[in-house]
Amino acid sequence: MKYLFTEKSDGIGIITINRPDAMNAMNLKVVSELSSAFSDMIADNDIGVIILTGSGEKAFVAGADIKAMQQMDSDAALEFGKTGQEMTLIIENSPKPVIAAVNGFALGGGCEISLACHIRVASENAIFGQPEVLLGIIPGWGGTQRLPKIVGTGIANELITTGDQISAEEAYRIGLVNHVVPQGELMDTCKKIGKKILKNGPNAIAISLNCIHESFDKSIESGLKYEVDAFANLFSTDETKEGLAAFVEKRKANFRS
Ligand code: CO8
């Protein structure tokens, strides 16, 4: 891959976006490489958790490639928008939790990619924002849809219409990120979360994520129905039998043998 590094060890896959001369900004090639890397890791039985980060110490992703967008007409913008949205859906629908290790600027499309991840951890120097309106465009990779769900409509309205950039601390205060840590501890913190997750039942993890995702916009009644059906279906699986038996037999469950 031209713009990505991928690695895996101890059940955790790491994808690093590497376009240092452009603050890891994303053109069509980066988007398509990212979609392939995620699809490969989702299909890889040795991987249970995926971490996404940017190379260097300045940027996670400074957005979609503005220079590439300047050359686009409406048809090209539609393709770019749809391809980017599909990539965010691959991430969001991953049955394996995806952790965004936000190591610097997460602006525009960069912030939107982090929104599609299941868990966001930021380094102290991270900066978040949806500055699209400053360019006369709008968030096109899910920002208008996911940001309000995560931080509420009032804050999303302000962030998107002002284009303000906010610090990691402010992102933590509004619930946009789960943790803020010194940059040197970012990957270890994400791996620690990943290792905790890896101890748990992979099927239960995947179905929990699916229930959260599928039920978010539903009425509480239909969301509860979705949840209870998924809950009941688990009782015919070896994983659930092992988890329940391990507790009763006072031993650790072995989910991934
Ligand atoms: N696109 C292309 N190149 C970029 C981008 C970007 N988003 N961000 C930075 N770069 C390039 C710069 O042009 C510069 O290149 P060069 O050396 O050739 O001039 C290089 O990276 C280094 O950047 P700076 O010199 O600007 O570095 P600074 O440390 O001074 O500033 C910033 C860092 C604050 C991150 C600054 O670069 C910046 O403001 N970047 C743009 C941020 C932005 O506006 N992002 C949103 C883009 S719009 C978007 O993401 C839309 C998503 C939805 C798409 C839907 C498709 C239809």
Side-chain angles (χ1 to χ4, degrees):
M1 301 239 185
K2 187 173 174 199
Y3 294 119
L4 301 184
F5 300 133
T6 60
E7 55 184 290
K8 63 172 175 177
S9 66
D10 301 328
I12 299 180
I14 301 177
I15 300 174
T16 305
I17 300 168
N18 181 45
R19 200 184 168 206
D21 53 338
M23 296 269 166
N24 300 329
M26 304 201 43
N27 56 24
L28 210 45
K29 175 90 178 129
V30 187
V31 172
S32 94
E33 287 190 4
L34 204 50
S35 293
S36 305
F38 269 103
S39 300
D40 289 349
M41 287 201 178
I42 289 166
D44 186 335
N45 288 334
D46 294 337
I47 290 176
V49 170
I50 303 167
I51 298 174
L52 174 66
T53 194
S55 69
E57 300 198 333
K58 269 192 101 172
F60 173 70
V61 171
D65 188 323
I66 299 170
K67 293 167 192 168
M69 283 191 294
Q70 194 191 6
Q71 310 304 320
M72 290 178 191
D73 59 14
S74 290
D75 288 344
L78 185 64
E79 195 205 336
F80 193 43
K82 281 186 173 169
T83 311
Q85 287 187 349
E86 278 158 20
M87 177 235 344
T88 65
L89 285 170
I90 293 172
I91 298 173
E92 188 168 61
N93 291 326
S94 164
K96 302 170 180 183
V98 180
I99 304 174
V102 182
N103 57 310
F105 289 107
L107 298 176
C111 186
E112 293 175 283
I113 292 168
S114 82
L115 298 175
C117 298
H118 302 108
I119 294 170
R120 282 163 293 284
V121 181
S123 59
E124 288 167 342
N125 65 318
I127 302 280
F128 291 81
Q130 298 290 164
E132 282 90 344
V133 291
L134 276 70
L135 300 164
I137 59 173
I138 67 165
W141 289 346
T144 65
Q145 306 305 303
R146 295 191 180 98
L147 188 62
K149 289 182 178 168
I150 294 170
V151 301
T153 48
I155 292 174
N157 287 340
E158 183 174 341
L159 282 173
I160 289 175
T161 58
T162 60
D164 277 352
Q165 297 183 15
I166 59 169
S167 67
E169 269 312 317
E170 178 66 359
Y172 177 72
R173 195 186 68 76
I174 63 175
L176 180 53
V177 301
N178 300 25
H179 308 276
V180 180
V181 297
Q183 183 146 56
E185 294 170 22
L186 181 63
M187 286 311 282
D188 278 351
T189 304
C190 293
K191 285 180 188 168
K192 224 181 262 175
I193 296 170
K195 280 181 189 155
K196 258 193 210 174
I197 293 171
L198 285 173
K199 287 187 189 143
N200 303 325
N203 196 31
I205 289 166
I207 291 174
S208 301
L209 290 178
N210 175 263
C211 281
I212 294 167
H213 179 58
E214 283 300 321
S215 307
F216 199 89
D217 287 331
K218 292 197 165 118
S219 68
I220 185 70
E221 287 80 6
S222 68
L224 288 172
K225 165 100 177 63
Y226 195 86
E227 183 189 69
V228 81
D229 288 344
F231 179 82
N233 287 338
L234 282 171
F235 281 72
S236 59
T237 66
D238 289 343
E239 179 180 303
T240 300
K241 290 185 179 124
E242 164 64 6
L244 298 175
F247 179 84
V248 173
E249 291 161 18
K250 298 188 186 303
R251 61 176 173 80
K252 279 211 158 79
N254 185 0
F255 289 123
R256 292 178 195 259
S257 60

